[in-house]
Amino acid sequence: MSTVMERNKWMLKDELSEALVRFSEGKLSNEYAREIANITLQNVDFNNSALAHKGVNWFAKDLLRKIVI
């Protein structure tokens, strides 16, 4: 994996974990949100993903609907 792609994934993890905390209205800790972001982004297909079209905030809200907090 290229350095640019690794940097982009790292930034996306940060952005996703921050959105998870924000949209959970404090129900998720920073650490738990980071863990969710790490696991989730390992399974995201970056070549064919709604994430590219709808954005991180949509993705975070969709994840929160699917997990129990």
Side-chain angles (χ1 to χ4, degrees), residues 18-64:
E18 289 172 13
L20 287 168
V21 171
R22 183 174 57 249
F23 293 122
S24 74
E25 298 175 345
K27 293 178 185 172
L28 292 180
S29 67
N30 289 332
E31 295 80 22
Y32 189 52
R34 166 110 16 225
E35 184 178 330
I36 292 169
N38 282 328
I39 292 168
T40 301
L41 291 177
Q42 290 175 10
N43 298 311
V44 170
D45 178 6
F46 288 97
N47 293 320
N48 183 17
S49 176
L51 177 60
H53 298 287
K54 296 188 178 186
V56 173
N57 289 337
W58 170 85
F59 195 59
K61 290 175 185 177
D62 189 55
L63 278 172
L64 288 171

